[in-house]
PDB file of all heavy atoms in Angstrom:
ATOM      1  N   ASN Z  26     -29.514  -2.368 -11.199  1.00 97.00           N
ATOM      2  CA  ASN Z  26     -29.235  -3.657 -10.568  1.00 97.00           C
ATOM      3  C   ASN Z  26     -30.520  -4.416 -10.273  1.00 97.00           C
ATOM      4  O   ASN Z  26     -30.586  -5.642 -10.436  1.00 97.00           O
ATOM      5  CB  ASN Z  26     -28.424  -3.477  -9.279  1.00 97.00           C
ATOM      6  CG  ASN Z  26     -27.492  -4.641  -9.035  1.00 97.00           C
ATOM      7  OD1 ASN Z  26     -26.941  -5.232  -9.977  1.00 97.00           O
ATOM      8  ND2 ASN Z  26     -27.298  -4.997  -7.778  1.00 97.00           N
ATOM      9  N   LEU Z  27     -31.552  -3.704  -9.846  1.00 97.00           N
ATOM     10  CA  LEU Z  27     -32.853  -4.333  -9.639  1.00 97.00           C
ATOM     11  C   LEU Z  27     -33.403  -4.827 -10.967  1.00 97.00           C
ATOM     12  O   LEU Z  27     -33.985  -5.922 -11.050  1.00 97.00           O
ATOM     13  CB  LEU Z  27     -33.830  -3.347  -8.994  1.00 97.00           C
ATOM     14  CG  LEU Z  27     -35.271  -3.852  -8.806  1.00 97.00           C
ATOM     15  CD1 LEU Z  27     -35.298  -5.107  -7.954  1.00 97.00           C
ATOM     16  CD2 LEU Z  27     -36.147  -2.757  -8.199  1.00 97.00           C
ATOM     17  N   LYS Z  28     -33.223  -4.042 -12.012  1.00 98.00           N
ATOM     18  CA  LYS Z  28     -33.658  -4.441 -13.348  1.00 98.00           C
ATOM     19  C   LYS Z  28     -32.976  -5.754 -13.749  1.00 98.00           C
ATOM     20  O   LYS Z  28     -33.615  -6.671 -14.268  1.00 98.00           O
ATOM     21  CB  LYS Z  28     -33.324  -3.343 -14.354  1.00 98.00           C
ATOM     22  CG  LYS Z  28     -33.831  -3.604 -15.769  1.00 98.00           C
ATOM     23  CD  LYS Z  28     -33.412  -2.488 -16.718  1.00 98.00           C
ATOM     24  CE  LYS Z  28     -34.066  -1.170 -16.370  1.00 98.00           C
ATOM     25  NZ  LYS Z  28     -33.759  -0.115 -17.370  1.00 98.00           N
ATOM     26  N   GLY Z  29     -31.669  -5.833 -13.499  1.00 97.00           N
ATOM     27  CA  GLY Z  29     -30.933  -7.050 -13.821  1.00 97.00           C
ATOM     28  C   GLY Z  29     -31.399  -8.231 -12.998  1.00 97.00           C
ATOM     29  O   GLY Z  29     -31.494  -9.363 -13.505  1.00 97.00           O
ATOM     30  N   PHE Z  30     -31.707  -7.996 -11.716  1.00 98.00           N
ATOM     31  CA  PHE Z  30     -32.183  -9.077 -10.846  1.00 98.00           C
ATOM     32  C   PHE Z  30     -33.521  -9.620 -11.340  1.00 98.00           C
ATOM     33  O   PHE Z  30     -33.740 -10.836 -11.339  1.00 98.00           O
ATOM     34  CB  PHE Z  30     -32.326  -8.578  -9.412  1.00 98.00           C
ATOM     35  CG  PHE Z  30     -32.753  -9.639  -8.439  1.00 98.00           C
ATOM     36  CD1 PHE Z  30     -31.828 -10.535  -7.927  1.00 98.00           C
ATOM     37  CD2 PHE Z  30     -34.079  -9.746  -8.051  1.00 98.00           C
ATOM     38  CE1 PHE Z  30     -32.226 -11.528  -7.036  1.00 98.00           C
ATOM     39  CE2 PHE Z  30     -34.488 -10.729  -7.163  1.00 98.00           C
ATOM     40  CZ  PHE Z  30     -33.560 -11.632  -6.642  1.00 98.00           C
ATOM     41  N   ILE Z  31     -34.421  -8.727 -11.749  1.00 98.00           N
ATOM     42  CA  ILE Z  31     -35.722  -9.163 -12.267  1.00 98.00           C
ATOM     43  C   ILE Z  31     -35.527 -10.030 -13.503  1.00 98.00           C
ATOM     44  O   ILE Z  31     -36.182 -11.075 -13.662  1.00 98.00           O
ATOM     45  CB  ILE Z  31     -36.613  -7.952 -12.591  1.00 98.00           C
ATOM     46  CG1 ILE Z  31     -36.967  -7.198 -11.314  1.00 98.00           C
ATOM     47  CG2 ILE Z  31     -37.890  -8.399 -13.309  1.00 98.00           C
ATOM     48  CD1 ILE Z  31     -37.679  -5.878 -11.542  1.00 98.00           C
ATOM     49  N   LYS Z  32     -34.628  -9.621 -14.375  1.00 98.00           N
ATOM     50  CA  LYS Z  32     -34.368 -10.396 -15.590  1.00 98.00           C
ATOM     51  C   LYS Z  32     -33.805 -11.772 -15.252  1.00 98.00           C
ATOM     52  O   LYS Z  32     -34.201 -12.787 -15.851  1.00 98.00           O
ATOM     53  CB  LYS Z  32     -33.403  -9.638 -16.501  1.00 98.00           C
ATOM     54  CG  LYS Z  32     -33.988  -8.369 -17.097  1.00 98.00           C
ATOM     55  CD  LYS Z  32     -32.962  -7.626 -17.953  1.00 98.00           C
ATOM     56  CE  LYS Z  32     -33.517  -6.318 -18.482  1.00 98.00           C
ATOM     57  NZ  LYS Z  32     -32.542  -5.598 -19.326  1.00 98.00           N
ATOM     58  N   ILE Z  33     -32.903 -11.829 -14.291  1.00 97.00           N
ATOM     59  CA  ILE Z  33     -32.346 -13.120 -13.870  1.00 97.00           C
ATOM     60  C   ILE Z  33     -33.428 -13.984 -13.242  1.00 97.00           C
ATOM     61  O   ILE Z  33     -33.473 -15.199 -13.466  1.00 97.00           O
ATOM     62  CB  ILE Z  33     -31.165 -12.901 -12.899  1.00 97.00           C
ATOM     63  CG1 ILE Z  33     -29.955 -12.411 -13.690  1.00 97.00           C
ATOM     64  CG2 ILE Z  33     -30.830 -14.180 -12.138  1.00 97.00           C
ATOM     65  CD1 ILE Z  33     -28.750 -12.048 -12.859  1.00 97.00           C
ATOM     66  N   PHE Z  34     -34.315 -13.376 -12.487  1.00 97.00           N
ATOM     67  CA  PHE Z  34     -35.458 -14.093 -11.903  1.00 97.00           C
ATOM     68  C   PHE Z  34     -36.295 -14.724 -13.011  1.00 97.00           C
ATOM     69  O   PHE Z  34     -36.676 -15.901 -12.930  1.00 97.00           O
ATOM     70  CB  PHE Z  34     -36.301 -13.115 -11.087  1.00 97.00           C
ATOM     71  CG  PHE Z  34     -37.484 -13.730 -10.404  1.00 97.00           C
ATOM     72  CD1 PHE Z  34     -37.339 -14.381  -9.196  1.00 97.00           C
ATOM     73  CD2 PHE Z  34     -38.748 -13.652 -10.977  1.00 97.00           C
ATOM     74  CE1 PHE Z  34     -38.441 -14.958  -8.557  1.00 97.00           C
ATOM     75  CE2 PHE Z  34     -39.853 -14.217 -10.357  1.00 97.00           C
ATOM     76  CZ  PHE Z  34     -39.697 -14.873  -9.142  1.00 97.00           C
ATOM     77  N   LEU Z  35     -36.560 -13.966 -14.067  1.00 97.00           N
ATOM     78  CA  LEU Z  35     -37.334 -14.470 -15.198  1.00 97.00           C
ATOM     79  C   LEU Z  35     -36.580 -15.570 -15.946  1.00 97.00           C
ATOM     80  O   LEU Z  35     -37.174 -16.566 -16.386  1.00 97.00           O
ATOM     81  CB  LEU Z  35     -37.665 -13.329 -16.162  1.00 97.00           C
ATOM     82  CG  LEU Z  35     -38.573 -12.223 -15.612  1.00 97.00           C
ATOM     83  CD1 LEU Z  35     -38.627 -11.046 -16.591  1.00 97.00           C
ATOM     84  CD2 LEU Z  35     -39.974 -12.757 -15.350  1.00 97.00           C
ATOM     85  N   ILE Z  36     -35.281 -15.406 -16.094  1.00 97.00           N
ATOM     86  CA  ILE Z  36     -34.445 -16.409 -16.759  1.00 97.00           C
ATOM     87  C   ILE Z  36     -34.495 -17.726 -16.001  1.00 97.00           C
ATOM     88  O   ILE Z  36     -34.667 -18.803 -16.589  1.00 97.00           O
ATOM     89  CB  ILE Z  36     -32.989 -15.907 -16.877  1.00 97.00           C
ATOM     90  CG1 ILE Z  36     -32.897 -14.782 -17.908  1.00 97.00           C
ATOM     91  CG2 ILE Z  36     -32.042 -17.052 -17.271  1.00 97.00           C
ATOM     92  CD1 ILE Z  36     -31.579 -14.024 -17.877  1.00 97.00           C
ATOM     93  N   ILE Z  37     -34.368 -17.640 -14.683  1.00 96.00           N
ATOM     94  CA  ILE Z  37     -34.390 -18.846 -13.855  1.00 96.00           C
ATOM     95  C   ILE Z  37     -35.731 -19.553 -13.959  1.00 96.00           C
ATOM     96  O   ILE Z  37     -35.787 -20.784 -14.102  1.00 96.00           O
ATOM     97  CB  ILE Z  37     -34.078 -18.498 -12.385  1.00 96.00           C
ATOM     98  CG1 ILE Z  37     -32.627 -18.033 -12.252  1.00 96.00           C
ATOM     99  CG2 ILE Z  37     -34.334 -19.697 -11.475  1.00 96.00           C
ATOM    100  CD1 ILE Z  37     -32.284 -17.487 -10.882  1.00 96.00           C
ATOM    101  N   LEU Z  38     -36.823 -18.800 -13.907  1.00 94.00           N
ATOM    102  CA  LEU Z  38     -38.154 -19.402 -14.004  1.00 94.00           C
ATOM    103  C   LEU Z  38     -38.309 -20.186 -15.312  1.00 94.00           C
ATOM    104  O   LEU Z  38     -38.809 -21.311 -15.325  1.00 94.00           O
ATOM    105  CB  LEU Z  38     -39.238 -18.328 -13.922  1.00 94.00           C
ATOM    106  CG  LEU Z  38     -39.525 -17.716 -12.554  1.00 94.00           C
ATOM    107  CD1 LEU Z  38     -40.662 -16.702 -12.670  1.00 94.00           C
ATOM    108  CD2 LEU Z  38     -39.891 -18.797 -11.540  1.00 94.00           C
ATOM    109  N   GLY Z  39     -37.891 -19.577 -16.414  1.00 95.00           N
ATOM    110  CA  GLY Z  39     -38.029 -20.229 -17.707  1.00 95.00           C
ATOM    111  C   GLY Z  39     -37.153 -21.449 -17.856  1.00 95.00           C
ATOM    112  O   GLY Z  39     -37.622 -22.532 -18.226  1.00 95.00           O
ATOM    113  N   PHE Z  40     -35.870 -21.286 -17.554  1.00 97.00           N
ATOM    114  CA  PHE Z  40     -34.930 -22.388 -17.742  1.00 97.00           C
ATOM    115  C   PHE Z  40     -35.142 -23.513 -16.730  1.00 97.00           C
ATOM    116  O   PHE Z  40     -34.895 -24.681 -17.045  1.00 97.00           O
ATOM    117  CB  PHE Z  40     -33.493 -21.874 -17.656  1.00 97.00           C
ATOM    118  CG  PHE Z  40     -32.985 -21.299 -18.945  1.00 97.00           C
ATOM    119  CD1 PHE Z  40     -33.177 -19.949 -19.245  1.00 97.00           C
ATOM    120  CD2 PHE Z  40     -32.339 -22.086 -19.880  1.00 97.00           C
ATOM    121  CE1 PHE Z  40     -32.716 -19.415 -20.439  1.00 97.00           C
ATOM    122  CE2 PHE Z  40     -31.880 -21.555 -21.072  1.00 97.00           C
ATOM    123  CZ  PHE Z  40     -32.065 -20.224 -21.362  1.00 97.00           C
ATOM    124  N   ALA Z  41     -35.582 -23.191 -15.523  1.00 95.00           N
ATOM    125  CA  ALA Z  41     -35.794 -24.222 -14.507  1.00 95.00           C
ATOM    126  C   ALA Z  41     -36.957 -25.140 -14.884  1.00 95.00           C
ATOM    127  O   ALA Z  41     -36.839 -26.367 -14.835  1.00 95.00           O
ATOM    128  CB  ALA Z  41     -36.040 -23.583 -13.147  1.00 95.00           C
ATOM    129  N   THR Z  42     -38.081 -24.548 -15.264  1.00 91.00           N
ATOM    130  CA  THR Z  42     -39.244 -25.365 -15.628  1.00 91.00           C
ATOM    131  C   THR Z  42     -39.078 -25.995 -17.013  1.00 91.00           C
ATOM    132  O   THR Z  42     -39.319 -27.181 -17.199  1.00 91.00           O
ATOM    133  CB  THR Z  42     -40.528 -24.523 -15.593  1.00 91.00           C
ATOM    134  OG1 THR Z  42     -40.348 -23.348 -16.395  1.00 91.00           O
ATOM    135  CG2 THR Z  42     -40.860 -24.093 -14.177  1.00 91.00           C
ATOM    136  N   GLY Z  43     -38.628 -25.193 -17.983  1.00 94.00           N
ATOM    137  CA  GLY Z  43     -38.449 -25.713 -19.334  1.00 94.00           C
ATOM    138  C   GLY Z  43     -37.291 -26.692 -19.440  1.00 94.00           C
ATOM    139  O   GLY Z  43     -37.365 -27.690 -20.166  1.00 94.00           O
ATOM    140  N   GLY Z  44     -36.215 -26.412 -18.695  1.00 96.00           N
ATOM    141  CA  GLY Z  44     -35.059 -27.307 -18.724  1.00 96.00           C
ATOM    142  C   GLY Z  44     -35.391 -28.679 -18.182  1.00 96.00           C
ATOM    143  O   GLY Z  44     -34.926 -29.701 -18.720  1.00 96.00           O
ATOM    144  N   ALA Z  45     -36.191 -28.737 -17.122  1.00 93.00           N
ATOM    145  CA  ALA Z  45     -36.604 -30.025 -16.564  1.00 93.00           C
ATOM    146  C   ALA Z  45     -37.410 -30.809 -17.596  1.00 93.00           C
ATOM    147  O   ALA Z  45     -37.217 -32.018 -17.767  1.00 93.00           O
ATOM    148  CB  ALA Z  45     -37.418 -29.808 -15.297  1.00 93.00           C
ATOM    149  N   SER Z  46     -38.312 -30.118 -18.292  1.00 93.00           N
ATOM    150  CA  SER Z  46     -39.117 -30.788 -19.315  1.00 93.00           C
ATOM    151  C   SER Z  46     -38.237 -31.284 -20.474  1.00 93.00           C
ATOM    152  O   SER Z  46     -38.451 -32.376 -21.003  1.00 93.00           O
ATOM    153  CB  SER Z  46     -40.183 -29.819 -19.868  1.00 93.00           C
ATOM    154  OG  SER Z  46     -41.071 -29.428 -18.850  1.00 93.00           O
ATOM    155  N   LEU Z  47     -37.245 -30.498 -20.837  1.00 96.00           N
ATOM    156  CA  LEU Z  47     -36.351 -30.876 -21.938  1.00 96.00           C
ATOM    157  C   LEU Z  47     -35.580 -32.140 -21.608  1.00 96.00           C
ATOM    158  O   LEU Z  47     -35.431 -33.051 -22.434  1.00 96.00           O
ATOM    159  CB  LEU Z  47     -35.385 -29.722 -22.233  1.00 96.00           C
ATOM    160  CG  LEU Z  47     -34.462 -29.890 -23.440  1.00 96.00           C
ATOM    161  CD1 LEU Z  47     -35.263 -30.069 -24.727  1.00 96.00           C
ATOM    162  CD2 LEU Z  47     -33.536 -28.669 -23.558  1.00 96.00           C
ATOM    163  N   LEU Z  48     -35.077 -32.234 -20.367  1.00 97.00           N
ATOM    164  CA  LEU Z  48     -34.357 -33.434 -19.947  1.00 97.00           C
ATOM    165  C   LEU Z  48     -35.284 -34.640 -19.886  1.00 97.00           C
ATOM    166  O   LEU Z  48     -34.893 -35.761 -20.268  1.00 97.00           O
ATOM    167  CB  LEU Z  48     -33.704 -33.204 -18.586  1.00 97.00           C
ATOM    168  CG  LEU Z  48     -32.574 -32.177 -18.535  1.00 97.00           C
ATOM    169  CD1 LEU Z  48     -32.006 -32.090 -17.120  1.00 97.00           C
ATOM    170  CD2 LEU Z  48     -31.468 -32.511 -19.531  1.00 97.00           C
ATOM    171  N   LYS Z  49     -36.505 -34.431 -19.435  1.00 94.00           N
ATOM    172  CA  LYS Z  49     -37.468 -35.529 -19.361  1.00 94.00           C
ATOM    173  C   LYS Z  49     -37.829 -36.046 -20.749  1.00 94.00           C
ATOM    174  O   LYS Z  49     -38.037 -37.252 -20.951  1.00 94.00           O
ATOM    175  CB  LYS Z  49     -38.733 -35.081 -18.616  1.00 94.00           C
ATOM    176  CG  LYS Z  49     -38.520 -34.826 -17.133  1.00 94.00           C
ATOM    177  CD  LYS Z  49     -39.751 -34.243 -16.492  1.00 94.00           C
ATOM    178  CE  LYS Z  49     -39.495 -33.879 -15.026  1.00 94.00           C
ATOM    179  NZ  LYS Z  49     -40.689 -33.234 -14.396  1.00 94.00           N
ATOM    180  N   ILE Z  50     -37.864 -35.142 -21.721  1.00 96.00           N
ATOM    181  CA  ILE Z  50     -38.114 -35.545 -23.101  1.00 96.00           C
ATOM    182  C   ILE Z  50     -36.997 -36.440 -23.598  1.00 96.00           C
ATOM    183  O   ILE Z  50     -37.224 -37.449 -24.276  1.00 96.00           O
ATOM    184  CB  ILE Z  50     -38.270 -34.306 -24.006  1.00 96.00           C
ATOM    185  CG1 ILE Z  50     -39.629 -33.636 -23.753  1.00 96.00           C
ATOM    186  CG2 ILE Z  50     -38.128 -34.668 -25.489  1.00 96.00           C
ATOM    187  CD1 ILE Z  50     -39.804 -32.301 -24.412  1.00 96.00           C
TER     188      ILE Z  50
END
């Protein structure tokens, strides 16, 4: 479960920053 949480943490970091840039583009 901790392993899954870390992966979700990484997913959020990527999609949050990259997703904002994608919309701005």
Side-chain angles (χ1 to χ4, degrees):
N26 212 35
L27 176 58
K28 184 182 294 185
F30 183 80
I31 294 172
K32 292 178 183 181
I33 286 175
F34 182 82
L35 296 171
I36 289 167
I37 292 172
L38 285 182
F40 277 89
T42 53
S46 298
L47 185 60
L48 293 181
K49 291 174 185 177
I50 286 171

